[in-house]
Amino acid sequence: MSTENLSNKEAIDKLREMVDKIDIGMLCSFKKDEKQPHAVPMSRQEVDEQGNIWYLFSKQSETYQHLQGDRQVSLIYAQPKDYEFLTINGHAEISRDEARIEKYWNKMMEGWFEKGKEDPNIQVLKVVPNDAYYWDQKSNKLITLMKVAANAVTGNNFDVGRDGKLSI
């Protein structure tokens, strides 16, 4: 495993690439004064040019309630079949940005919000990353599996992937 820390635009590009590819991540919020995270799967709407990750969610959700007391969040993305993993720690900003609701509205949202785009429970969630850490493979899956097998058989240490901090 090699370490490749990335910063600025390279870090944002890596974060965007991984979040867009994996799409659904676990959003962890924290109930005030409790250490146990509350995790829910969320599909991102966008990763913007600054690396912020945007979602639509409900004012009636537990996540919304938790964010009223503690704005710290963690996002966990995993694509095990491709050996790609990403963790993001950041803080949440909540709004009722009508332009973003319009921009992000799609057929899938209709299943969550019966009253449509005008539903007063629709909220826009912006996650601003404070730090992020990734793990992925340098080569395709077949080569990675061959390297892992070779490591097991020979005792050699072929580099099978990379990890690093994303400084955004």
Side-chain angles (χ1 to χ4, degrees):
M1 183 73 74
S2 63
T3 300
E4 295 182 16
N5 296 323
L6 304 175
S7 59
N8 303 319
K9 184 172 179 346
E10 283 184 315
I12 292 169
D13 289 347
K14 182 68 173 178
L15 181 132
R16 181 184 295 118
E17 171 194 322
M18 292 185 78
V19 171
D20 284 348
K21 179 179 180 184
I22 299 171
D23 180 31
I24 297 177
M26 297 301 290
L27 171 68
C28 302
S29 58
F30 302 89
K31 193 172 184 179
K32 191 172 172 86
D33 300 325
E34 285 189 19
K35 295 183 190 252
Q36 300 294 329
H38 169 75
V40 294
M42 297 281 288
S43 177
R44 61 89 191 98
Q45 299 302 314
E46 175 183 20
V47 180
D48 68 21
E49 295 296 318
Q50 292 78 42
N52 302 310
I53 305 163
W54 295 84
Y55 303 90
L56 294 181
F57 78 128
S58 175
K59 195 180 210 178
Q60 295 179 320
S61 67
E62 281 187 75
T63 300
Y64 179 86
Q65 298 307 316
H66 293 170
L67 293 175
Q68 299 312 299
D70 186 344
R71 294 292 174 110
Q72 295 303 306
V73 295
S74 294
L75 292 165
I76 303 166
Y77 289 89
Q79 186 87 325
K81 70 180 177 69
D82 294 327
Y83 299 102
E84 294 183 347
F85 306 91
L86 174 66
T87 61
I88 302 165
N89 295 304
H91 68 274
E93 297 176 8
I94 301 170
S95 71
R96 176 88 182 133
D97 183 332
E98 298 289 337
R100 289 213 182 256
I101 292 170
E102 180 68 34
K103 178 179 180 179
Y104 300 147
W105 190 259
N106 59 47
K107 281 288 198 192
M108 186 71 153
M109 292 296 126
E110 291 176 12
W112 295 99
F113 300 101
E114 296 173 4
K115 297 177 184 172
K117 290 183 265 191
E118 290 73 35
D119 191 319
N121 291 311
I122 299 173
Q123 299 293 297
V124 177
L125 173 63
K126 174 184 175 183
V127 174
V128 180
N130 296 332
D131 63 71
Y133 200 82
Y134 75 98
W135 299 263
D136 69 4
Q137 56 188 349
K138 286 183 170 183
S139 53
N140 71 40
K141 186 176 178 180
L142 179 60
I143 291 172
T144 299
L145 288 173
M146 290 171 48
K147 286 180 181 179
V148 168
N151 285 347
V153 171
T154 66
N156 290 337
N157 190 17
F158 294 108
D159 191 0
V160 295
R162 63 184 162 203
D163 67 330
K165 183 174 176 61
L166 299 177
S167 300
I168 299 170

